[in-house]
Amino acid sequence: MKKILIANRGEIAVRIIRACNEMGIKAVAVYTDADRHALHVKKADEAYNIGPESVAGYLNVHRLVNLAVETGCDALHPGYGFLSENPLLASICRARRVKFIGPRSEVIRGMGDKTEARRSMIDAGIPVVPGSDGNLTSLQEASSVAERIGYPVMLKATSGGGGRGIRRCDTPEDLQRHFGRVVSEARKAFGTAEVFMEKAIVNPRHIELQVLADHHGNVIHLFERDCSIQRRHQKLVEIAPSPQLDDQTRARLGDYAIRAARAVGYTNAGTVEFLLDQNGEVYFMEMNTRLQVEHTVTEQITGIDIVQEQIRIADEHPLRHRQEDVVRRGFAMQFRINAEDPKNDFLPSFGQVTRYYAPGGPGVRTDGAIYTGYVIPPYYDSLCVKLTVWALNWEELIERSARALRDIGVAGVKTTIPYYQEILNTPGFRQARFDTGFVESHPELLNYSTHCPPQEVAAVIAASIAAHMGL
Ligand code: ADP
Ligand code: ADP
Ligand code: MG
């Protein structure tokens, strides 16, 4: 492979460019008008404007594949979000002889349909969350499934993703109230009104396994990530390995993940998500057939560059690592630093970054897409920097993370940094005892002071004057 088109933007496009750089592969970026000044455009070897439509530009399958062909790319990397789980993109790439850096189209389709994925896993002998056999066609059907599996239940969009289209129902009244809502939400967000039901596991842990599978029948896993720190079903902080998992469960999940990947003929990098209940039972939840936001923590504990492995796999090389060669060392934690105001219901805070100072020092990695003077456009995800911290043990990881969060400086927009500092100060978190109910059960995390030290104020003012004067 000599040249790759990156059908994405933001930090993940930059991340993929870095992998290409190290492999001697040319990286081709695409950008909309709103992204003229984006970092991925500056860092790529070539960059092409794909027009004025801020979001639709990154969703135009034919246009992107045509561009890959016209610019002589051997392959296309979809990143995450946007078209990354779109089976059509994978099949059109194939038809046009552009290697799609991800699994086969049929696998994306099969796993993207959560009820079909559940069926495949049941056939493979993997425990799934108790729930409906397939999609629910009416409220009556939903009610009878709920009676059978017992409340509380989760109504979920069959093609859902990004934490959307999920509602917990504690009573038949809740179900009655939410059913129509989830159906219409599913239709609007995912283009299909299909919904299904699962038993709601009370205060579970979200544990997911990273897998790599090549085109020669080799499948390995790179251990787990604990993504239990979530808000509204969206991940905020991710940790590898989970500090709250015994080795027996870890081994069992590793086996399930490999079995899951084999069962569907998986290739490339993927993630098998599980819920771990309070009794230590594990259940398959879904599989994400793409690179994930939180892949960095796995890279830090294993030393394996997952994006480079994705590229090699797509180029049909056999995996370079055998399962027994994959060793983990220490702990890593990722903070999704979003341009949002936690105190204002995490409302996105777009605008100019008047100052950005990246943290450094031992064990600190940043994957960002902002720079001093950059104006964060309002059309996209609010993720602006991923801070990934590594340390030899959990206690040191907490202290190093706190230090890195003090070290990083983002001014001009509100961010989730102070919120994460509060999480790190919470005894339950420090003691590695947390589940997906953590954020909801700690409303006091929002009580941080917004006091800004005087030197910070001066720096912000100086930076805005400089920006204004075009310095
Ligand atoms: P991860 O498990 O990698 O954190 P997320 O579920 O947070 O994945 O999704 C990663 C990104 O992709 C987020 O920006 C999210 O909003 C977006 N995303 C994921 N799946 C979908 C989907 N089906 N539809 C729209 N956006 C999605
Ligand atoms: P998405 O495709 O949006 O990532 P998931 O099915 O992975 O959706 O669910 C997202 C999150 O919602 C999970 O990480 C978990 O916290 C919560 N969740 C989903 N299903 C259940 C369930 N059956 N019981 C409890 N929590 C659930
Ligand atoms: Mg998920």
Side-chain angles (χ1 to χ4, degrees):
M1 260 186 214
K2 299 214 165 50
K3 201 169 177 185
I4 295 177
L5 184 128
I6 301 163
N8 215 302
R9 63 175 304 282
E11 70 82 19
I12 199 62
V14 175
R15 167 71 189 90
I16 299 163
I17 292 169
R18 288 188 170 128
C20 291
N21 285 168
E22 289 181 24
M23 296 173 83
I25 295 172
K26 291 262 179 291
V28 176
V30 294
Y31 64 98
T32 59
D33 290 353
D35 265 340
R36 261 177 218 291
H37 304 292
L39 198 59
H40 74 285
V41 178
K42 300 181 198 294
K43 291 209 178 276
D45 295 291
E46 293 171 27
Y48 297 91
N49 181 278
I50 48 170
E53 295 172 303
S54 316
V55 176
Y58 293 109
L59 294 172
N60 191 333
V61 176
H62 292 281
R63 178 113 200 251
L64 291 164
V65 180
N66 280 342
L67 191 60
V69 173
E70 284 159 21
T71 56
C73 288
D74 312 291
L76 179 148
H77 198 307
Y80 58 70
F82 292 122
L83 292 171
S84 60
E85 292 176 285
N86 184 310
L88 185 68
L89 175 64
S91 64
I92 291 182
C93 279
R94 194 190 175 107
R96 303 289 304 274
R97 298 182 186 286
V98 172
K99 286 178 171 152
F100 177 76
I101 303 178
R104 287 177 294 123
S105 173
E106 306 78 65
V107 176
I108 298 176
R109 185 177 288 113
M111 286 309 208
D113 179 317
K114 291 184 183 181
T115 54
E116 191 177 327
R118 283 165 58 82
R119 276 194 292 273
S120 306
M121 293 305 113
I122 293 169
D123 291 346
I126 295 167
V128 303
V129 185
S132 56
D133 290 331
N135 293 320
L136 299 166
T137 47
S138 66
L139 176 60
Q140 283 76 358
E141 194 188 352
S143 306
S144 74
V145 175
E147 292 305 329
R148 174 166 62 80
I149 61 178
Y151 286 92
V153 296
M154 288 290 208
L155 269 180
K156 298 172 70 167
T158 303
S159 302
R164 290 180 302 156
I166 301 178
R167 282 292 164 87
R168 178 175 152 148
C169 306
D170 291 330
T171 60
E173 293 70 42
D174 280 354
L175 181 58
Q176 209 154 18
R177 206 172 27 221
H178 294 321
F179 188 78
R181 249 183 238 169
V182 176
V183 169
S184 68
E185 228 171 81
R187 189 185 300 113
K188 259 188 241 134
F190 309 111
T192 146
E194 290 171 340
V195 300
F196 71 109
M197 184 181 287
E198 277 177 4
K199 188 167 179 60
I201 308 294
V202 179
N203 293 342
R205 285 160 196 162
H206 172 120
I207 308 283
E208 59 181 37
L209 273 280
Q210 175 73 55
V211 298
L212 292 177
D214 66 17
H215 292 269
H216 307 273
N218 304 303
V219 184
I220 61 171
H221 71 78
L222 305 183
F223 300 102
E224 82 282 1
R225 296 184 282 257
D226 188 324
C227 311
S228 304
I229 303 294
Q230 306 181 347
R231 178 178 171 274
R232 300 199 178 150
H233 313 305
Q234 289 171 347
K235 299 161 187 167
L236 292 176
V237 178
E238 300 100 338
I239 301 154
S242 172
Q244 42 183 356
L245 197 67
D246 59 78
D247 280 336
Q248 206 184 338
T249 311
R250 175 169 290 126
R252 190 147 58 100
L253 288 173
D255 285 346
Y256 285 158
I258 288 181
R259 210 192 298 170
R262 284 196 187 284
V264 297
Y266 200 85
T267 47
N268 217 285
T271 297
V272 192
E273 296 189 337
F274 297 91
L275 289 177
L276 174 64
D277 77 8
Q278 305 271 320
N279 303 320
E281 294 299 325
V282 296
Y283 305 95
F284 167 86
M285 184 167 52
E286 66 153 345
M287 181 167 190
N288 294 319
T289 55
R290 55 172 165 86
L291 182 65
Q292 275 188 285
V293 177
E294 61 272 24
H295 73 279
T296 62
V297 290
T298 303
E299 293 185 325
Q300 296 313 111
I301 63 158
T302 60
I304 294 175
D305 184 313
I306 295 171
V307 179
Q308 292 196 22
E309 293 308 319
Q310 285 194 291
I311 294 171
R312 285 195 184 88
I313 291 170
D315 208 11
E316 288 167 46
H317 293 290
L319 282 181
R320 296 188 302 166
H321 312 273
R322 288 173 307 174
Q323 187 66 61
E324 55 271 30
D325 301 333
V326 181
V327 284
R328 61 191 163 87
R329 187 156 182 264
F331 284 89
M333 174 142 56
Q334 178 190 266
F335 302 87
R336 297 189 189 201
I337 296 178
N338 296 333
E340 293 172 358
D341 182 4
K343 281 181 183 285
N344 193 1
D345 203 26
F346 290 80
L347 191 76
S349 171
F350 301 116
Q352 187 173 48
V353 177
T354 50
R355 191 175 68 108
Y356 173 53
Y357 174 78
V364 175
R365 161 179 176 177
T366 54
D367 290 78
I370 60 167
Y371 51 85
T372 297
Y374 177 62
V375 179
I376 303 176
Y379 314 106
Y380 309 106
D381 205 276
S382 56
L383 180 64
C384 54
V385 184
K386 301 189 309 201
L387 169 63
T388 308
V389 183
W390 176 91
L392 266 179
N393 60 52
W394 178 250
E395 292 70 30
E396 287 173 20
L397 180 61
I398 298 274
E399 297 315 326
R400 183 170 280 173
S401 298
R403 187 269 292 168
L405 286 168
R406 283 194 300 272
D407 199 355
I408 193 170
V410 183
V413 294
K414 296 261 190 332
T415 73
T416 44
I417 295 170
Y419 189 77
Y420 294 141
Q421 284 165 329
E422 293 302 309
I423 290 182
L424 286 176
N425 282 330
T426 307
F429 187 80
R430 297 178 78 88
Q431 291 151 19
R433 284 188 291 106
F434 49 83
D435 53 45
T436 60
F438 181 85
V439 162
E440 212 179 331
S441 61
H442 288 284
E444 79 284 1
L445 293 170
L446 290 167
N447 295 346
Y448 56 85
S449 118
T450 43
H451 164 78
C452 195
Q455 64 272 32
E456 192 85 352
V457 175
V460 170
I461 294 170
S464 352
I465 293 171
H468 185 71
M469 295 172 67
L471 296 176

